[in-house]
């Protein structure tokens, strides 16, 4: 069953309305208590959404504080378009004023220690107590097998650009400076990692830029996975038809060594030289999740109760976004969906009620193949009471092919999610 845009928007609106229904009782109950304090660590898609809905759905009865070291919100979705030349980083950068208008307090600082028993955080400039803690730290990078990349100097020569920001601009500048006829080499880590189709969208955006400005350039993709991990048929067709002869895709090509100065990489099978080298490292839960001891799955990801997103190992602590261990895509849309379920569950718990026993949400992920054309994958997820996890349900689907109409939908999706998260 395919989920078209109209059906998806109708489902999303209905799901939002259903989620709102039980919370009026929670707000009344909370007003009879001293204001509980919820601290949210991380101001990205997951953290900002959790903070906003905690404040809104409690009708201001809960004190909400967001700790985020960065002064601005920078969107990872659409950041590959900076490499393609159709967007700038400024187009994807937003302030936090909208959250503050909801009465959310924002602390620009870094958490250095967490005491979950005392419910206390240590920051670089003081300490902070909480009643409930939400951790939304995104991802951190693993350099155990490639320690030569773990330095500020290496990141300037071989940027990963997997967190939108200065490295995105740096990689774009390196591509612009590359000679026509040069070689761009990109490595893809083994799944799971943030944004499954993201590396392959990046290939499209770099190919789009090359086709306009450096038509003799080549792209080599060294993928540690046995095949393209998301939208395989669509990406394969786009590369063959839109960028014929430019992209050399090599599966089962995990990096074993990187010569940063020479921009040369080795796999089990070969040595590959690049004019511009983009290594996307393996990933794990963000540093705060590691700090508090919540990354208990393979020492990488965080096990949670999917009815509330409460940590299975740390009391009074909830985890949302890319750090969660789940057989689900690590996407911005998914992060905001988890954050709403989490916010609802926290408010229910504070009011002495049980969380929704059957949460449901949808996830949509768009990938741009050039500046105007995009394609999507969408799914509806429901809680499975036997497996105790969110699983794909009926509904959803994948684009038949990329189109400019889907590109318009993708830009509208971005505007809508930015508005929902930040205003």
């Amino acid at each position: 069953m395919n989920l078209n845009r109209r059906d998806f928007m109708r489902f999303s609106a209905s799901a939002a309305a259903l989620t709102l229904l039980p919370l009026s009782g929670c707000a009344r109950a909370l007003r009879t208590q001293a204001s509980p304090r919820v601290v949210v660590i991380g101001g990205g898609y997951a953290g900002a959404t959790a903070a906003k809905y905690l404040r809104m759905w409690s009708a201001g009865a809960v004190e909400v504080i967001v700790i985020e070291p960065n002064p601005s919100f920078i969107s990872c979705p659409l950041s590959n378009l900076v490499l393609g030349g159709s967007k700038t980083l400024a187009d994807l950068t937003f302030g936090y004023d909208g959250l503050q208008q909801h009465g959310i307090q924002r602390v620009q600082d870094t958490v250095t220690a967490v005491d979950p028993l005392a419910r206390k955080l240590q920051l670089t400039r003081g300490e902070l107590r909480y009643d409930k803690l939400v951790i939304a730290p995104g991802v951190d990078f693993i350099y155990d097998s490639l320690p030569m990349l773990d330095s500020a100097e290496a990141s300037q020569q071989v940027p990963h650009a997997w967190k939108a920001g200065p490295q995105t601009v740096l990689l774009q500048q390196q591509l612009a400076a590359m000679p026509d006829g040069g070689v761009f080499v990109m490595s893809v880590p083994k799944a799971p990692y943030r944004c499954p189709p993201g590396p392959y969208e990046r290939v499209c955006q770099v190919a789009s830029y090359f086709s306009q400005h450096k038509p003799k350039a080549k792209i080599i993709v060294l993928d540690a996975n046995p095949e393209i991990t998301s939208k395989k048929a669509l990406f394969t067709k786009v590369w063959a038809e839109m960028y014929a002869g430019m992209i050399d895709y090599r599966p089962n090509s995990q990096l074993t060594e990187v010569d940063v100065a020479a921009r040369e990489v080795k796999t089990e099978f070969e040595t590959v030289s690049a004019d511009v080298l983009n290594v996307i490292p393996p990933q794990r839960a963000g540093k705060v999740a590691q700090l508090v001891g919540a990354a208990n799955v393979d020492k990488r990801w965080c096990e949670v109760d999917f009815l509330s997103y409460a940590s299975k190992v740390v009391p009074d602590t909830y985890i949302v976004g890319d750090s969660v261990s789940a057989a689900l895509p690590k996407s911005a849309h998914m992060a905001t969906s988890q954050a709403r379920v989490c916010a609802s569950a926290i408010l229910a718990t504070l009011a002495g009620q049980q969380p929704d026993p059957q949460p449901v949400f949808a996830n949509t992920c768009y990938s741009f193949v050039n500046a105007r054309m995009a394609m999507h994958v969408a799914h509806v997820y429901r809680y499975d009471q036997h497996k105790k996890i969110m699983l794909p349900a009926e509904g959803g689907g994948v684009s038949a092919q990329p189109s400019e109409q889907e590109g318009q939908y993708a830009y509208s999706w971005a505007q809508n999610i930015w508005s929902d998260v930040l205003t």
Side-chain angles (χ1 to χ4, degrees):
M1 172 182 171
N2 287 329
L3 185 73
N4 64 34
R5 183 171 182 266
R6 180 178 298 174
D7 291 336
F8 175 75
M9 296 301 289
R10 186 186 302 117
F11 169 83
S12 299
S14 300
L18 288 170
T19 308
L20 282 166
L21 286 176
L23 295 173
S24 57
C26 292
R28 285 194 297 271
L30 289 168
R31 283 202 185 92
T32 66
Q33 308 171 10
S35 293
R37 172 184 286 176
V38 181
V39 174
V40 180
I41 303 176
Y45 279 97
T49 301
K52 174 184 172 180
Y53 281 90
L54 280 164
R55 189 70 180 171
M56 284 177 52
W57 285 344
S58 71
V62 170
E63 181 186 11
V64 180
I65 301 173
V66 175
I67 302 172
E68 168 57 54
N70 296 311
S72 302
F73 176 101
I74 304 177
S75 175
C76 280
L78 271 66
S79 63
N80 279 330
L81 274 66
V82 175
L83 305 180
S86 60
K87 290 290 180 184
T88 67
L89 200 64
D91 295 328
L92 311 178
T93 303
F94 307 92
Y96 286 106
D97 293 349
L99 294 185
Q100 292 172 308
Q101 289 174 6
H102 287 286
I104 296 166
Q105 304 170 58
R106 186 173 68 88
V107 177
Q108 189 176 337
D109 205 340
T110 300
V111 175
T112 58
V114 182
D115 185 341
L117 296 180
R119 290 184 290 190
K120 182 175 68 175
L121 303 175
Q122 186 65 47
L123 313 179
T124 57
R125 298 196 302 271
E127 66 178 38
L128 191 62
R129 294 186 179 274
Y130 62 86
D131 295 294
K132 299 290 184 182
L133 180 64
V134 178
I135 299 177
V139 296
D140 186 25
F141 298 104
I142 303 173
Y143 292 107
D144 295 351
S145 62
L146 298 172
M148 69 290 296
L149 294 176
D150 191 13
S151 71
E153 180 182 358
S155 68
Q156 290 299 300
Q157 297 184 65
V158 184
H160 55 72
W162 211 239
K163 292 184 179 180
Q167 285 208 1
T168 310
V169 176
L170 175 60
L171 183 56
Q172 189 276 329
Q173 292 171 342
Q174 290 183 354
L175 292 169
M178 193 186 87
D180 192 9
V183 178
F184 171 66
V185 176
M186 187 188 79
S187 74
V188 183
K190 282 188 176 180
Y193 54 83
R194 165 182 278 175
C195 189
Y200 314 109
E201 179 193 54
R202 177 169 291 182
V203 171
C204 292
Q205 287 302 310
V206 174
S208 176
Y209 173 76
F210 284 167
S211 65
Q212 298 172 67
H213 304 285
K214 304 177 191 293
K216 298 178 183 177
K218 300 293 182 184
I219 299 172
I220 298 176
V221 184
L222 302 175
D223 195 340
N225 299 287
E227 60 182 5
I228 294 171
T229 61
S230 178
K231 306 174 189 170
K232 176 184 175 182
L234 288 167
F235 280 117
T236 300
K237 186 176 181 181
V238 166
W239 293 354
E241 295 179 359
M242 293 182 64
Y243 305 115
M246 183 176 283
I247 300 165
D248 180 358
Y249 175 74
R250 304 177 187 179
N252 296 308
S253 295
Q254 185 169 351
L255 301 191
T256 59
E257 190 175 335
V258 178
D259 186 329
V260 173
R263 290 192 174 92
E264 186 175 87
V265 298
K266 291 184 179 180
T267 71
E268 181 183 351
F269 310 104
E270 59 183 339
T271 299
V272 182
S273 296
D275 293 282
V276 175
L277 179 59
N278 175 213
V279 175
I280 303 171
Q283 292 147 47
R284 60 187 169 195
K287 285 184 169 60
V288 173
Q290 301 169 49
L291 189 67
V292 75
N296 64 316
V297 178
D298 299 328
K299 296 183 179 180
R300 291 182 66 185
W301 309 110
C302 304
E303 185 182 11
V304 300
D305 177 348
F306 289 96
L307 290 179
S308 64
Y309 288 85
S311 168
K312 290 288 189 74
V313 293
V314 185
D316 295 309
T317 300
Y318 300 77
I319 304 162
V320 288
D322 294 340
S323 289
V324 171
S325 173
L328 306 175
K330 297 183 183 297
S331 72
H333 200 144
M334 185 67 71
T336 62
S337 298
Q338 294 174 355
R340 290 188 194 89
V341 173
C342 178
S344 174
I346 289 174
L347 295 178
T349 301
L350 289 172
Q353 302 173 10
Q354 293 297 314
D356 179 359
Q358 294 182 313
V360 57
F361 53 70
N363 175 61
T364 299
C365 179
Y366 286 97
S367 299
F368 279 89
V369 300
N370 58 23
R372 299 179 305 278
M373 299 173 65
M375 53 198 187
H376 81 277
V377 58
H379 285 292
V380 176
Y381 294 90
R382 296 182 185 275
Y383 182 72
D384 186 297
Q385 294 182 335
H386 299 291
K387 297 183 178 179
K388 300 185 183 304
I389 193 171
M390 301 296 291
L391 293 176
E394 265 194 60
V398 183
S399 300
Q401 60 187 20
S403 69
E404 291 193 9
Q405 183 179 44
E406 288 225 42
Q408 294 172 4
Y409 292 164
Y411 283 124
S412 295
W413 171 90
Q415 294 294 334
N416 288 337
I417 198 170
W418 293 335
S419 177
D420 181 53
V421 171
L422 295 168
T423 62

